């Protein structure tokens, strides 16, 4: 049952573009995108789950804090399987929290909570789920970033143009927070 | 931010019983249950996500095929982080498929597809998400099984009484399929 599908997102994908078919995806062979220094791999999303949830991985090298942002309608899971990732979250009362997550650790970010993270070890991997009652937004990464057929991290960082951030914000459930300060951060 | 909450499910839990609070859970410290030979750990679910999705792990020793079942309204993810798990799925046309999943491999089971799995190596771990448009059912495991404060696998298998299967079927989105045969299986 290693079937490849032509989908709205890829000429060849292991993700069937409807919610009726069981499927398997071997490690790393989901729908891949490069964004900044990271590789994002989508294993399921809105088409497969009637817009209920998605499932993806983010792999990256040790690097910088990503831009702070919120999701007005989306709950987000950070489950680290490899390496170490420092997660920063501001709660709805404005209190800021940070936690170093290593293999097997879990972080949960409710909708409307500002958050960011920093990969603290090379070869880190986060498993993510990001969904809410209004749907899923797993194609954000390849819209702000770029789809790729390659395996592995970007050879060079993929830096979106400034206008791409605005477009991504209009099309997906994300709002960037320029100038946001993490008072907990080093 | 290591806060413990009294919730409908545990006297002490790291999972806040409402969807407004960010939180972190260190490895293995989610809401735990024993079922047969396995340890199920819930990291988030309906209370945290407005009934959108859940996130849990299943850890088990090398063992037998679990009972075949379907979820009439639930899509289910099997993402293996450790060990090896053989996933069996029957598609809606009645064709049966099986795949050995090892670390980083992914399997997707749509609603109404009969499925089962067999843990093929000791110390295996599956990350699971099981949700659909009608909600989440992550408390199935501790209802058919038993909640535990212990860390690690059951010292002795926890075998539900026959009546417990019927009760679990009435309360959760699961239907067992007694007598179901996997024609692909060894």
């Amino acid at each position: 049952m290693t079937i490849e599908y032509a989908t709205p997102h890829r000429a060849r994908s292991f993700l069937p573009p409807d919610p009726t078919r069981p499927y398997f995806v071997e490690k790393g062979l989901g729908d891949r995108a490069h964004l900044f220094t990271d590789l994002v791999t989508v294993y399921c999303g809105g088409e497969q789950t009637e817009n209920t949830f998605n499932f993806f991985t983010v792999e990256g090298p040790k690097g910088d804090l990503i831009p702070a942002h919120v999701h007005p309608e989306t709950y987000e899971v950070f489950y680290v399987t490899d390496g170490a990732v420092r997660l920063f979250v501001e709660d709805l009362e404005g209190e800021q929290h940070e936690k170093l997550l290593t293999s097997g650790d879990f972080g949960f970010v409710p909708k409307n909570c500002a958050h960011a993270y920093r990969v603290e070890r090379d070869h880190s991997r986060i498993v993510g789920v990001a969904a809410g009652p209004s749907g899923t937004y797993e194609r954000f990464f390849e819209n702000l970033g770029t789809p790729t057929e390659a395996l592995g991290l970007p050879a060079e960082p993929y830096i979106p143009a400034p206008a791409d951030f605005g477009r991504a914000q209009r099309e997906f459930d994300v709002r960037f927070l320029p100038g946001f300060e993490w008072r907990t951060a080093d």
Side-chain angles (χ1 to χ4, degrees), chain A residues 9-10 15 31-33 35 40-58 71 74 76 128-132 135-145 171-173:
Chain A
H9 308 289
R10 294 290 187 286
L15 284 59
D31 287 356
R32 300 178 295 287
L35 177 57
V40 180
T41 306
V42 172
Y43 289 92
C44 73
E47 287 95 341
Q48 291 78 38
T49 64
E50 296 182 62
N51 289 316
T52 301
F53 67 87
N54 50 33
F55 194 95
F56 56 90
T57 60
V58 179
H71 307 298
T74 300
E76 192 164 7
V129 182
T136 72
Y137 85 118
E138 65 281 351
R139 300 296 166 174
F140 162 77
F141 305 102
E142 64 192 55
N143 271 271
L144 184 58
E171 295 180 16
F172 298 92
D173 186 43

mmCIF file of all heavy atoms in Angstrom, chain A residues 9-10 15 31-33 35 40-58 71 74 76 128-132 135-145 171-173:
data_model
loop_
_atom_site.group_PDB
_atom_site.id
_atom_site.type_symbol
_atom_site.label_atom_id
_atom_site.label_comp_id
_atom_site.label_asym_id
_atom_site.label_seq_id
_atom_site.Cartn_x
_atom_site.Cartn_y
_atom_site.Cartn_z
ATOM 1 N N HIS A 9 -1.402 19.775 -3.084
ATOM 2 C CA HIS A 9 -0.174 20.304 -2.486
ATOM 3 C C HIS A 9 1.099 19.770 -3.125
ATOM 4 O O HIS A 9 2.141 20.414 -3.051
ATOM 5 C CB HIS A 9 -0.159 19.987 -0.987
ATOM 6 C CG HIS A 9 -1.410 20.408 -0.290
ATOM 7 N ND1 HIS A 9 -1.725 21.727 -0.078
ATOM 8 C CD2 HIS A 9 -2.455 19.687 0.187
ATOM 9 C CE1 HIS A 9 -2.903 21.803 0.530
ATOM 10 N NE2 HIS A 9 -3.365 20.583 0.692
ATOM 11 N N ARG A 10 1.021 18.577 -3.719
ATOM 12 C CA ARG A 10 2.216 17.952 -4.273
ATOM 13 C C ARG A 10 1.835 17.150 -5.519
ATOM 14 O O ARG A 10 0.756 16.539 -5.551
ATOM 15 C CB ARG A 10 2.853 16.962 -3.274
ATOM 16 C CG ARG A 10 3.423 17.555 -2.005
ATOM 17 C CD ARG A 10 4.675 18.375 -2.258
ATOM 18 N NE ARG A 10 5.297 18.798 -1.010
ATOM 19 C CZ ARG A 10 4.825 19.758 -0.207
ATOM 20 N NH1 ARG A 10 3.707 20.383 -0.490
ATOM 21 N NH2 ARG A 10 5.489 20.091 0.894
ATOM 22 N N LEU A 15 0.147 11.223 1.061
ATOM 23 C CA LEU A 15 -1.068 11.584 1.802
ATOM 24 C C LEU A 15 -2.262 11.593 0.856
ATOM 25 O O LEU A 15 -2.346 12.463 -0.016
ATOM 26 C CB LEU A 15 -0.922 12.971 2.448
ATOM 27 C CG LEU A 15 -0.058 13.099 3.702
ATOM 28 C CD1 LEU A 15 1.369 12.675 3.490
ATOM 29 C CD2 LEU A 15 -0.121 14.516 4.239
ATOM 30 N N ASP A 31 4.805 15.282 3.413
ATOM 31 C CA ASP A 31 4.928 16.482 2.571
ATOM 32 C C ASP A 31 5.884 17.463 3.237
ATOM 33 O O ASP A 31 5.602 17.954 4.332
ATOM 34 C CB ASP A 31 3.556 17.142 2.380
ATOM 35 C CG ASP A 31 2.651 16.364 1.448
ATOM 36 O OD1 ASP A 31 3.087 15.345 0.870
ATOM 37 O OD2 ASP A 31 1.485 16.786 1.289
ATOM 38 N N ARG A 32 6.968 17.776 2.555
ATOM 39 C CA ARG A 32 8.074 18.497 3.175
ATOM 40 C C ARG A 32 8.157 19.959 2.708
ATOM 41 O O ARG A 32 7.862 20.267 1.551
ATOM 42 C CB ARG A 32 9.394 17.778 2.861
ATOM 43 C CG ARG A 32 9.382 16.350 3.385
ATOM 44 C CD ARG A 32 10.623 15.567 3.077
ATOM 45 N NE ARG A 32 10.873 15.305 1.663
ATOM 46 C CZ ARG A 32 10.195 14.426 0.915
ATOM 47 N NH1 ARG A 32 9.189 13.748 1.417
ATOM 48 N NH2 ARG A 32 10.527 14.236 -0.349
ATOM 49 N N ALA A 33 8.592 20.811 3.630
ATOM 50 C CA ALA A 33 8.811 22.220 3.305
ATOM 51 C C ALA A 33 10.023 22.722 4.078
ATOM 52 O O ALA A 33 10.336 22.235 5.173
ATOM 53 C CB ALA A 33 7.578 23.050 3.672
ATOM 54 N N LEU A 35 11.653 26.149 5.793
ATOM 55 C CA LEU A 35 11.303 27.483 6.301
ATOM 56 C C LEU A 35 12.429 27.908 7.234
ATOM 57 O O LEU A 35 12.701 27.221 8.221
ATOM 58 C CB LEU A 35 9.970 27.443 7.043
ATOM 59 C CG LEU A 35 9.520 28.750 7.696
ATOM 60 C CD1 LEU A 35 9.434 29.891 6.688
ATOM 61 C CD2 LEU A 35 8.180 28.562 8.396
ATOM 62 N N VAL A 40 10.048 21.093 7.763
ATOM 63 C CA VAL A 40 8.728 20.747 8.303
ATOM 64 C C VAL A 40 8.142 19.633 7.447
ATOM 65 O O VAL A 40 8.160 19.723 6.212
ATOM 66 C CB VAL A 40 7.787 21.964 8.308
ATOM 67 C CG1 VAL A 40 6.417 21.586 8.865
ATOM 68 C CG2 VAL A 40 8.394 23.108 9.104
ATOM 69 N N THR A 41 7.651 18.594 8.083
ATOM 70 C CA THR A 41 7.113 17.440 7.356
ATOM 71 C C THR A 41 5.697 17.183 7.842
ATOM 72 O O THR A 41 5.480 16.905 9.025
ATOM 73 C CB THR A 41 7.987 16.195 7.596
ATOM 74 O OG1 THR A 41 9.350 16.516 7.271
ATOM 75 C CG2 THR A 41 7.529 15.031 6.728
ATOM 76 N N VAL A 42 4.735 17.274 6.942
ATOM 77 C CA VAL A 42 3.324 17.066 7.279
ATOM 78 C C VAL A 42 2.944 15.617 6.980
ATOM 79 O O VAL A 42 3.174 15.121 5.871
ATOM 80 C CB VAL A 42 2.427 18.033 6.477
ATOM 81 C CG1 VAL A 42 0.947 17.703 6.675
ATOM 82 C CG2 VAL A 42 2.713 19.479 6.878
ATOM 83 N N TYR A 43 2.353 14.949 7.974
ATOM 84 C CA TYR A 43 1.937 13.550 7.830
ATOM 85 C C TYR A 43 0.424 13.395 7.677
ATOM 86 O O TYR A 43 -0.038 12.403 7.129
ATOM 87 C CB TYR A 43 2.449 12.723 9.014
ATOM 88 C CG TYR A 43 3.944 12.520 8.970
ATOM 89 C CD1 TYR A 43 4.805 13.397 9.624
ATOM 90 C CD2 TYR A 43 4.499 11.487 8.235
ATOM 91 C CE1 TYR A 43 6.187 13.230 9.561
ATOM 92 C CE2 TYR A 43 5.874 11.308 8.160
ATOM 93 C CZ TYR A 43 6.712 12.178 8.819
ATOM 94 O OH TYR A 43 8.069 12.011 8.734
ATOM 95 N N CYS A 44 -0.341 14.333 8.215
ATOM 96 C CA CYS A 44 -1.771 14.370 7.932
ATOM 97 C C CYS A 44 -2.280 15.764 8.254
ATOM 98 O O CYS A 44 -1.608 16.531 8.948
ATOM 99 C CB CYS A 44 -2.564 13.307 8.700
ATOM 100 S SG CYS A 44 -2.768 13.622 10.464
ATOM 101 N N GLY A 45 -3.442 16.090 7.723
ATOM 102 C CA GLY A 45 -3.997 17.417 7.958
ATOM 103 C C GLY A 45 -5.469 17.457 7.631
ATOM 104 O O GLY A 45 -6.175 16.443 7.707
ATOM 105 N N GLY A 46 -5.913 18.631 7.267
ATOM 106 C CA GLY A 46 -7.338 18.862 7.082
ATOM 107 C C GLY A 46 -8.004 17.911 6.107
ATOM 108 O O GLY A 46 -9.108 17.412 6.357
ATOM 109 N N GLU A 47 -7.345 17.615 4.975
ATOM 110 C CA GLU A 47 -7.987 16.734 3.983
ATOM 111 C C GLU A 47 -8.246 15.338 4.525
ATOM 112 O O GLU A 47 -9.200 14.672 4.123
ATOM 113 C CB GLU A 47 -7.111 16.583 2.718
ATOM 114 C CG GLU A 47 -7.059 17.792 1.831
ATOM 115 C CD GLU A 47 -5.855 18.663 2.137
ATOM 116 O OE1 GLU A 47 -5.281 18.530 3.243
ATOM 117 O OE2 GLU A 47 -5.503 19.483 1.284
ATOM 118 N N GLN A 48 -7.366 14.877 5.405
ATOM 119 C CA GLN A 48 -7.474 13.495 5.891
ATOM 120 C C GLN A 48 -8.398 13.385 7.103
ATOM 121 O O GLN A 48 -8.837 12.277 7.439
ATOM 122 C CB GLN A 48 -6.075 12.957 6.254
ATOM 123 C CG GLN A 48 -5.162 12.749 5.056
ATOM 124 C CD GLN A 48 -4.559 14.041 4.546
ATOM 125 O OE1 GLN A 48 -4.205 14.905 5.334
ATOM 126 N NE2 GLN A 48 -4.463 14.194 3.225
ATOM 127 N N THR A 49 -8.651 14.486 7.802
ATOM 128 C CA THR A 49 -9.341 14.415 9.097
ATOM 129 C C THR A 49 -10.628 15.228 9.147
ATOM 130 O O THR A 49 -11.111 15.532 10.252
ATOM 131 C CB THR A 49 -8.413 14.930 10.227
ATOM 132 O OG1 THR A 49 -8.145 16.322 9.991
ATOM 133 C CG2 THR A 49 -7.110 14.154 10.291
ATOM 134 N N GLU A 50 -11.176 15.561 7.991
ATOM 135 C CA GLU A 50 -12.350 16.458 7.979
ATOM 136 C C GLU A 50 -12.053 17.732 8.781
ATOM 137 O O GLU A 50 -12.884 18.187 9.574
ATOM 138 C CB GLU A 50 -13.587 15.751 8.553
ATOM 139 C CG GLU A 50 -14.047 14.556 7.738
ATOM 140 C CD GLU A 50 -15.306 13.933 8.316
ATOM 141 O OE1 GLU A 50 -16.341 14.621 8.361
ATOM 142 O OE2 GLU A 50 -15.240 12.758 8.748
ATOM 143 N N ASN A 51 -10.865 18.277 8.556
ATOM 144 C CA ASN A 51 -10.438 19.529 9.213
ATOM 145 C C ASN A 51 -10.403 19.465 10.728
ATOM 146 O O ASN A 51 -10.519 20.495 11.397
ATOM 147 C CB ASN A 51 -11.325 20.699 8.781
ATOM 148 C CG ASN A 51 -11.045 21.085 7.351
ATOM 149 O OD1 ASN A 51 -9.892 21.169 6.952
ATOM 150 N ND2 ASN A 51 -12.100 21.296 6.574
ATOM 151 N N THR A 52 -10.226 18.270 11.273
ATOM 152 C CA THR A 52 -10.189 18.156 12.736
ATOM 153 C C THR A 52 -8.798 18.435 13.304
ATOM 154 O O THR A 52 -8.647 19.201 14.244
ATOM 155 C CB THR A 52 -10.649 16.758 13.174
ATOM 156 O OG1 THR A 52 -11.964 16.539 12.689
ATOM 157 C CG2 THR A 52 -10.655 16.653 14.685
ATOM 158 N N PHE A 53 -7.774 17.757 12.761
ATOM 159 C CA PHE A 53 -6.424 17.933 13.320
ATOM 160 C C PHE A 53 -5.379 17.630 12.256
ATOM 161 O O PHE A 53 -5.700 17.133 11.170
ATOM 162 C CB PHE A 53 -6.214 17.046 14.557
ATOM 163 C CG PHE A 53 -6.194 15.560 14.290
ATOM 164 C CD1 PHE A 53 -5.033 14.901 13.936
ATOM 165 C CD2 PHE A 53 -7.365 14.801 14.388
ATOM 166 C CE1 PHE A 53 -5.015 13.522 13.697
ATOM 167 C CE2 PHE A 53 -7.365 13.426 14.149
ATOM 168 C CZ PHE A 53 -6.184 12.796 13.798
ATOM 169 N N ASN A 54 -4.149 17.947 12.580
ATOM 170 C CA ASN A 54 -3.024 17.619 11.724
ATOM 171 C C ASN A 54 -1.928 16.956 12.552
ATOM 172 O O ASN A 54 -2.076 16.797 13.776
ATOM 173 C CB ASN A 54 -2.503 18.883 11.013
ATOM 174 C CG ASN A 54 -2.268 20.018 11.995
ATOM 175 O OD1 ASN A 54 -1.899 19.785 13.150
ATOM 176 N ND2 ASN A 54 -2.495 21.249 11.555
ATOM 177 N N PHE A 55 -0.853 16.600 11.890
ATOM 178 C CA PHE A 55 0.272 15.966 12.579
ATOM 179 C C PHE A 55 1.499 16.233 11.727
ATOM 180 O O PHE A 55 1.513 15.893 10.549
ATOM 181 C CB PHE A 55 0.022 14.456 12.716
ATOM 182 C CG PHE A 55 0.940 13.754 13.680
ATOM 183 C CD1 PHE A 55 0.560 13.533 14.993
ATOM 184 C CD2 PHE A 55 2.190 13.313 13.270
ATOM 185 C CE1 PHE A 55 1.395 12.884 15.889
ATOM 186 C CE2 PHE A 55 3.038 12.660 14.160
ATOM 187 C CZ PHE A 55 2.643 12.438 15.470
ATOM 188 N N PHE A 56 2.503 16.857 12.317
ATOM 189 C CA PHE A 56 3.690 17.223 11.541
ATOM 190 C C PHE A 56 4.923 17.181 12.433
ATOM 191 O O PHE A 56 4.814 17.132 13.675
ATOM 192 C CB PHE A 56 3.522 18.619 10.914
ATOM 193 C CG PHE A 56 3.226 19.718 11.894
ATOM 194 C CD1 PHE A 56 4.257 20.441 12.495
ATOM 195 C CD2 PHE A 56 1.913 20.035 12.226
ATOM 196 C CE1 PHE A 56 3.983 21.462 13.411
ATOM 197 C CE2 PHE A 56 1.634 21.045 13.142
ATOM 198 C CZ PHE A 56 2.666 21.756 13.729
ATOM 199 N N THR A 57 6.080 17.183 11.814
ATOM 200 C CA THR A 57 7.332 17.307 12.560
ATOM 201 C C THR A 57 8.075 18.550 12.100
ATOM 202 O O THR A 57 7.939 18.977 10.949
ATOM 203 C CB THR A 57 8.242 16.078 12.381
ATOM 204 O OG1 THR A 57 8.566 15.921 10.994
ATOM 205 C CG2 THR A 57 7.578 14.805 12.877
ATOM 206 N N VAL A 58 8.830 19.128 13.005
ATOM 207 C CA VAL A 58 9.738 20.235 12.695
ATOM 208 C C VAL A 58 11.129 19.793 13.134
ATOM 209 O O VAL A 58 11.324 19.435 14.300
ATOM 210 C CB VAL A 58 9.345 21.522 13.434
ATOM 211 C CG1 VAL A 58 10.324 22.648 13.102
ATOM 212 C CG2 VAL A 58 7.917 21.935 13.088
ATOM 213 N N HIS A 71 -1.927 32.256 17.648
ATOM 214 C CA HIS A 71 -2.933 31.651 16.763
ATOM 215 C C HIS A 71 -4.299 31.936 17.391
ATOM 216 O O HIS A 71 -4.630 31.367 18.437
ATOM 217 C CB HIS A 71 -2.719 30.144 16.645
ATOM 218 C CG HIS A 71 -1.337 29.756 16.240
ATOM 219 N ND1 HIS A 71 -0.788 30.114 15.038
ATOM 220 C CD2 HIS A 71 -0.383 29.041 16.880
ATOM 221 C CE1 HIS A 71 0.448 29.635 14.958
ATOM 222 N NE2 HIS A 71 0.719 28.974 16.067
ATOM 223 N N THR A 74 -6.331 28.462 17.305
ATOM 224 C CA THR A 74 -5.623 27.192 17.186
ATOM 225 C C THR A 74 -4.872 26.836 18.456
ATOM 226 O O THR A 74 -4.132 27.663 19.005
ATOM 227 C CB THR A 74 -4.627 27.274 16.011
ATOM 228 O OG1 THR A 74 -5.348 27.543 14.806
ATOM 229 C CG2 THR A 74 -3.853 25.976 15.850
ATOM 230 N N GLU A 76 -1.949 24.387 20.129
ATOM 231 C CA GLU A 76 -0.741 23.812 19.533
ATOM 232 C C GLU A 76 0.030 22.966 20.534
ATOM 233 O O GLU A 76 0.239 23.368 21.684
ATOM 234 C CB GLU A 76 0.152 24.940 18.988
ATOM 235 C CG GLU A 76 1.273 24.425 18.108
ATOM 236 C CD GLU A 76 1.919 25.506 17.249
ATOM 237 O OE1 GLU A 76 1.599 26.693 17.426
ATOM 238 O OE2 GLU A 76 2.759 25.155 16.402
ATOM 239 N N GLY A 128 4.412 18.070 16.178
ATOM 240 C CA GLY A 128 3.427 19.112 16.405
ATOM 241 C C GLY A 128 2.033 18.708 15.976
ATOM 242 O O GLY A 128 1.856 17.936 15.023
ATOM 243 N N VAL A 129 1.065 19.203 16.710
ATOM 244 C CA VAL A 129 -0.333 19.187 16.295
ATOM 245 C C VAL A 129 -0.828 20.611 16.497
ATOM 246 O O VAL A 129 -0.544 21.213 17.540
ATOM 247 C CB VAL A 129 -1.196 18.217 17.117
ATOM 248 C CG1 VAL A 129 -2.642 18.209 16.611
ATOM 249 C CG2 VAL A 129 -0.611 16.816 17.106
ATOM 250 N N ALA A 130 -1.515 21.161 15.515
ATOM 251 C CA ALA A 130 -1.999 22.546 15.618
ATOM 252 C C ALA A 130 -3.374 22.573 14.978
ATOM 253 O O ALA A 130 -3.511 22.442 13.761
ATOM 254 C CB ALA A 130 -1.045 23.493 14.899
ATOM 255 N N ALA A 131 -4.391 22.722 15.836
ATOM 256 C CA ALA A 131 -5.758 22.657 15.332
ATOM 257 C C ALA A 131 -6.699 23.284 16.345
ATOM 258 O O ALA A 131 -6.354 23.469 17.514
ATOM 259 C CB ALA A 131 -6.165 21.206 15.075
ATOM 260 N N GLY A 132 -7.869 23.608 15.888
ATOM 261 C CA GLY A 132 -8.883 24.178 16.765
ATOM 262 C C GLY A 132 -10.248 23.987 16.139
ATOM 263 O O GLY A 132 -10.369 23.409 15.049
ATOM 264 N N GLY A 135 -10.606 24.698 12.490
ATOM 265 C CA GLY A 135 -9.897 23.949 11.467
ATOM 266 C C GLY A 135 -8.416 23.779 11.737
ATOM 267 O O GLY A 135 -7.949 23.952 12.868
ATOM 268 N N THR A 136 -7.701 23.431 10.689
ATOM 269 C CA THR A 136 -6.274 23.132 10.782
ATOM 270 C C THR A 136 -5.510 24.061 9.837
ATOM 271 O O THR A 136 -6.086 24.630 8.926
ATOM 272 C CB THR A 136 -5.990 21.670 10.385
ATOM 273 O OG1 THR A 136 -6.149 21.525 8.968
ATOM 274 C CG2 THR A 136 -6.910 20.702 11.106
ATOM 275 N N TYR A 137 -4.221 24.204 10.068
ATOM 276 C CA TYR A 137 -3.475 25.136 9.216
ATOM 277 C C TYR A 137 -2.081 24.616 8.870
ATOM 278 O O TYR A 137 -1.138 25.365 8.768
ATOM 279 C CB TYR A 137 -3.420 26.514 9.876
ATOM 280 C CG TYR A 137 -2.325 26.706 10.873
ATOM 281 C CD1 TYR A 137 -1.330 27.671 10.666
ATOM 282 C CD2 TYR A 137 -2.243 25.908 12.007
ATOM 283 C CE1 TYR A 137 -0.309 27.837 11.570
ATOM 284 C CE2 TYR A 137 -1.231 26.069 12.912
ATOM 285 C CZ TYR A 137 -0.260 27.036 12.693
ATOM 286 O OH TYR A 137 0.763 27.182 13.589
ATOM 287 N N GLU A 138 -1.960 23.320 8.636
ATOM 288 C CA GLU A 138 -0.647 22.707 8.413
ATOM 289 C C GLU A 138 0.045 23.169 7.143
ATOM 290 O O GLU A 138 1.248 22.954 6.999
ATOM 291 C CB GLU A 138 -0.770 21.185 8.425
ATOM 292 C CG GLU A 138 -1.597 20.596 7.312
ATOM 293 C CD GLU A 138 -3.099 20.711 7.566
ATOM 294 O OE1 GLU A 138 -3.494 21.102 8.687
ATOM 295 O OE2 GLU A 138 -3.866 20.439 6.636
ATOM 296 N N ARG A 139 -0.662 23.808 6.208
ATOM 297 C CA ARG A 139 -0.005 24.258 4.974
ATOM 298 C C ARG A 139 0.617 25.640 5.119
ATOM 299 O O ARG A 139 1.166 26.176 4.165
ATOM 300 C CB ARG A 139 -0.992 24.201 3.809
ATOM 301 C CG ARG A 139 -1.541 22.796 3.560
ATOM 302 C CD ARG A 139 -0.470 21.806 3.133
ATOM 303 N NE ARG A 139 -0.939 20.419 3.213
ATOM 304 C CZ ARG A 139 -0.228 19.384 2.774
ATOM 305 N NH1 ARG A 139 0.976 19.553 2.256
ATOM 306 N NH2 ARG A 139 -0.699 18.159 2.902
ATOM 307 N N PHE A 140 0.520 26.211 6.308
ATOM 308 C CA PHE A 140 1.211 27.471 6.606
ATOM 309 C C PHE A 140 2.699 27.394 6.256
ATOM 310 O O PHE A 140 3.254 28.305 5.641
ATOM 311 C CB PHE A 140 1.041 27.799 8.088
ATOM 312 C CG PHE A 140 2.022 28.800 8.606
ATOM 313 C CD1 PHE A 140 1.862 30.152 8.332
ATOM 314 C CD2 PHE A 140 3.104 28.395 9.369
ATOM 315 C CE1 PHE A 140 2.777 31.083 8.806
ATOM 316 C CE2 PHE A 140 4.021 29.318 9.849
ATOM 317 C CZ PHE A 140 3.858 30.661 9.564
ATOM 318 N N PHE A 141 3.324 26.288 6.660
ATOM 319 C CA PHE A 141 4.788 26.200 6.571
ATOM 320 C C PHE A 141 5.271 26.279 5.122
ATOM 321 O O PHE A 141 6.257 26.934 4.825
ATOM 322 C CB PHE A 141 5.273 24.909 7.223
ATOM 323 C CG PHE A 141 4.799 24.747 8.634
ATOM 324 C CD1 PHE A 141 3.739 23.895 8.954
ATOM 325 C CD2 PHE A 141 5.379 25.469 9.665
ATOM 326 C CE1 PHE A 141 3.296 23.749 10.254
ATOM 327 C CE2 PHE A 141 4.929 25.342 10.976
ATOM 328 C CZ PHE A 141 3.882 24.472 11.269
ATOM 329 N N GLU A 142 4.585 25.608 4.213
ATOM 330 C CA GLU A 142 5.031 25.626 2.825
ATOM 331 C C GLU A 142 4.562 26.871 2.096
ATOM 332 O O GLU A 142 5.039 27.157 1.000
ATOM 333 C CB GLU A 142 4.566 24.366 2.095
ATOM 334 C CG GLU A 142 3.073 24.224 1.971
ATOM 335 C CD GLU A 142 2.702 22.819 1.513
ATOM 336 O OE1 GLU A 142 3.127 21.854 2.178
ATOM 337 O OE2 GLU A 142 2.022 22.694 0.495
ATOM 338 N N ASN A 143 3.620 27.618 2.702
ATOM 339 C CA ASN A 143 3.207 28.890 2.112
ATOM 340 C C ASN A 143 4.145 30.014 2.521
ATOM 341 O O ASN A 143 4.544 30.816 1.681
ATOM 342 C CB ASN A 143 1.769 29.205 2.493
ATOM 343 C CG ASN A 143 0.784 28.619 1.504
ATOM 344 O OD1 ASN A 143 0.448 29.266 0.525
ATOM 345 N ND2 ASN A 143 0.375 27.371 1.707
ATOM 346 N N LEU A 144 4.501 30.071 3.781
ATOM 347 C CA LEU A 144 5.500 31.056 4.195
ATOM 348 C C LEU A 144 6.889 30.599 3.743
ATOM 349 O O LEU A 144 7.700 31.403 3.303
ATOM 350 C CB LEU A 144 5.472 31.250 5.708
ATOM 351 C CG LEU A 144 6.414 32.325 6.249
ATOM 352 C CD1 LEU A 144 6.115 33.687 5.619
ATOM 353 C CD2 LEU A 144 6.346 32.411 7.767
ATOM 354 N N GLY A 145 7.133 29.301 3.859
ATOM 355 C CA GLY A 145 8.378 28.717 3.369
ATOM 356 C C GLY A 145 8.208 28.249 1.933
ATOM 357 O O GLY A 145 7.491 28.871 1.150
ATOM 358 N N GLU A 171 -3.928 34.333 5.233
ATOM 359 C CA GLU A 171 -4.476 33.051 4.776
ATOM 360 C C GLU A 171 -4.521 31.985 5.870
ATOM 361 O O GLU A 171 -5.238 30.996 5.734
ATOM 362 C CB GLU A 171 -3.644 32.532 3.593
ATOM 363 C CG GLU A 171 -3.753 33.437 2.375
ATOM 364 C CD GLU A 171 -2.921 32.921 1.198
ATOM 365 O OE1 GLU A 171 -2.526 31.742 1.218
ATOM 366 O OE2 GLU A 171 -2.678 33.723 0.282
ATOM 367 N N PHE A 172 -3.722 32.181 6.913
ATOM 368 C CA PHE A 172 -3.635 31.153 7.951
ATOM 369 C C PHE A 172 -3.901 31.789 9.316
ATOM 370 O O PHE A 172 -3.923 33.004 9.449
ATOM 371 C CB PHE A 172 -2.257 30.472 7.908
ATOM 372 C CG PHE A 172 -2.013 29.764 6.610
ATOM 373 C CD1 PHE A 172 -1.388 30.419 5.563
ATOM 374 C CD2 PHE A 172 -2.478 28.478 6.409
ATOM 375 C CE1 PHE A 172 -1.200 29.784 4.348
ATOM 376 C CE2 PHE A 172 -2.297 27.840 5.195
ATOM 377 C CZ PHE A 172 -1.659 28.494 4.157
ATOM 378 N N ASP A 173 -4.102 30.935 10.292
ATOM 379 C CA ASP A 173 -4.485 31.426 11.617
ATOM 380 C C ASP A 173 -3.242 31.796 12.424
ATOM 381 O O ASP A 173 -2.936 31.176 13.449
ATOM 382 C CB ASP A 173 -5.314 30.348 12.324
ATOM 383 C CG ASP A 173 -5.860 30.839 13.645
ATOM 384 O OD1 ASP A 173 -6.337 31.986 13.684
ATOM 385 O OD2 ASP A 173 -5.792 30.068 14.621
#
